[in-house]
Amino acid sequence: MELIILLFIAVLATFAGGELIGKVPPQLHTPLMSGSNAISGITIVGALIAVGASGNDRLLAIIGFCAIVFGTINVVGGYLVTDRMLKMFKKK
Amino acid sequence: MKENLILIAYIISAILFIIGIKRLGKVDTARQGNFLSAVGMLIAIIATLFMMDAIPLEWVITGIAIGAIIGAVSATKVAMTAMPEMVAIFNGFGGGASALVASAEFFKIHGGSAANNDTTTLIIIMLSVIIGSLTFTGSFIAWGKLQGRITGQPITYPGQNMVNGLILVGVVIFGYLAVTNMSGFVAETTEINMLWFSIVIAIGLILGILSVLPIGGADMPVVISLLNSYSGIAAAMTGFVLQNHALIVSGCLVGASGLFLTNIMCKGMNRSLGNVLFSAFGKVDKSAVQKTTAGVTVKEMSPDNAAYTMQAAESVIIVPGYGMAVAQAQHEVRKLSDELEKTGVDVKFAVHPVAGRMPGHMNVLLAEANISYDKLFDMDEINDDFACTDVALIIGANDVVNPAARHDESSPIYGMPILNVDQAKTTFVLKRSMNPGFAGISNELFGYDNNYMVFGDAKATVSQFVETLKE
């Protein structure tokens, strides 16, 4: 049952994601791609859970640790680089 | 109770992501949108830490610190011209992280310590691992192509389709083996399971490399956008494995919006996604390209004379391309536009949807040089203006102004909408040499009667223009 509910959420989120992109001016495509890329770094949440649940298993902890590093690079780098791009879009 | 609080926190971060993406779509609110989405991310992370019973702090803090330093340094140090590559790399890490999380979950099932070890979960784990590792290597290949470390030309070999087909079949077979061996009986078949699983990871990694290599460098923006969508899907899959709502919602948001954006980009080139990914540039008839290169005579003009022509013009449309980015000429271009406006010339900028290596790449660069964005026009807005314009100044753009796209069916860019620069009274093309552009296609515009080539480094040439105008 739980799986069906999750699927339900996924379908709604997918449609929402599609609706959000519509009349975006081309000049914002790069920042938008970069900004949504940062959001895909949400997988860091999964990495945290993986490390948290690793218990005494060394291998799991190491995999989870690498995932945290990768995910954080994605999140921090993604948001900062997007902000840097957007900072330059100002009217004279 | 605690459970519900965390879910509420996830709902808040989902709302912030949605509002964030929405605001990212408008110039005035974009920066704020990005900030809101970052806050959403912070809330999701903190809520997750709060949920965990025993936080192995040393792992978490060290991991976040290392990642944050790498991410922050590369994001602040990278040159604006190398932005697309940077996004590709960040994206690759995201995909890699998802693959790792799914792998960890697999090992947990393997060790018998996982809550869910049913077949559905195992299948989702396989999908997440494949998509995640494919995103990881694919993004790095895209980065290499944009950096010029790997040739921008499509890499093809005989039997390529066969090999790719075999790999796809292989991934299904080994994935199936790993899944069926796992669900049901665990302990006895452990080693063979690990072997199947490693093969699945390896195939995912190889698939990423092989699927991006045959795509031409000029199409990398589309590839990066698609890989961005993939990393979202991988995150969502991981969410299903962990039954985590935040991962599912955000992953699906990115997956869907990324796919839409990819589609918009393909439309800008008047091609289908399938065409970008599987054919076109890969199967260019070399003889056709050669044919158009031969026998073209071009006229050259000195920078001084070109500057005088522009000074005497009423209107100038500047068409920037990747060459401007490479030469870092955007600041000189701003000076040129200022000088020309001082003498009463009407200056506009025409930005093709796929100019540069990413949609919006030119806008970012011109904005960096403080050129007000109400002087920048999209292709559809400005294309009719070329006919009544005196000078079209093409700085390092090539394929997006190639008239062959309109009539030459043998050209790989046939059908792509282009900027109608050839309708201007005079066109100047700033170019290093007569070498073909990034896509490797010769440009018939160069041989037109009203076109003049101004050879040299774009930055040096434009600053020469500025000098001449100042005198």
Side-chain angles (χ1 to χ4, degrees), chain A:
Chain A
M1 190 58 206
E2 174 71 357
L3 194 69
I4 292 296
I5 293 171
L6 292 180
L7 201 62
F8 192 69
I9 297 172
V11 170
L12 289 181
T14 305
F15 276 94
E19 287 300 314
L20 287 174
I21 309 293
K23 294 166 228 113
V24 179
Q27 77 238 43
L28 283 177
H29 284 177
T30 298
L32 184 64
M33 186 199 293
S34 177
S36 73
N37 171 47
I39 297 179
S40 70
I42 186 72
T43 189
I44 190 183
V45 163
L48 291 173
I49 295 173
V51 164
S54 65
N56 292 324
D57 194 326
R58 249 315 185 245
L59 177 69
L60 284 185
I62 290 172
I63 296 178
F65 175 76
C66 292
I68 292 184
V69 174
F70 281 19
T72 316
I73 293 178
N74 191 180
V75 168
V76 174
Y79 281 119
L80 283 180
V81 96
T82 311
D83 190 59
R84 230 184 109 195
M85 283 186 227
L86 291 171
K87 235 190 320 203
M88 297 176 309
F89 284 96
K90 15 167 214 231
K91 265 188 184 137
K92 251 192 191 171

Side-chain angles (χ1 to χ4, degrees), chain B residues 52 85 87 226 238 248 341 369 431 449:
Chain B
M52 289 163 24
E85 292 97 298
V87 177
L226 186 66
T238 317
I248 295 177
E341 284 188 330
K431 215 170 169 324
D449 284 341

Side-chain angles (χ1 to χ4, degrees), chain B residues 113-186:
Chain B
S113 65
N116 308 298
N117 59 354
D118 51 301
T119 314
T120 321
T121 308
L122 279 163
I123 293 175
I124 302 171
I125 289 180
M126 290 302 150
L127 288 174
S128 176
V129 167
I130 295 166
I131 299 174
S133 41
L134 179 155
T135 308
F136 184 67
T137 47
S139 299
F140 275 86
I141 298 291
W143 167 80
K145 286 214 172 209
L146 289 170
Q147 281 260 309
R149 284 170 201 255
I150 303 171
T151 171
Q153 297 289 322
I155 297 175
T156 50
Y157 52 88
Q160 191 161 24
N161 288 338
M162 243 293 255
V163 173
N164 288 347
L166 281 178
I167 290 174
L168 273 181
V169 173
V171 88
V172 173
I173 292 175
F174 288 110
Y176 174 77
L177 287 175
V179 169
T180 46
N181 257 339
M182 277 305 258
S183 44
F185 30 148
V186 181

Side-chain angles (χ1 to χ4, degrees), chain B residues 330-340 466 470:
Chain B
Q330 62 271 27
H331 295 281
E332 296 299 324
V333 170
R334 213 264 332 270
K335 285 184 206 155
L336 174 68
S337 139
D338 289 350
E339 284 300 323
L340 285 173
V466 176
K470 275 185 179 161

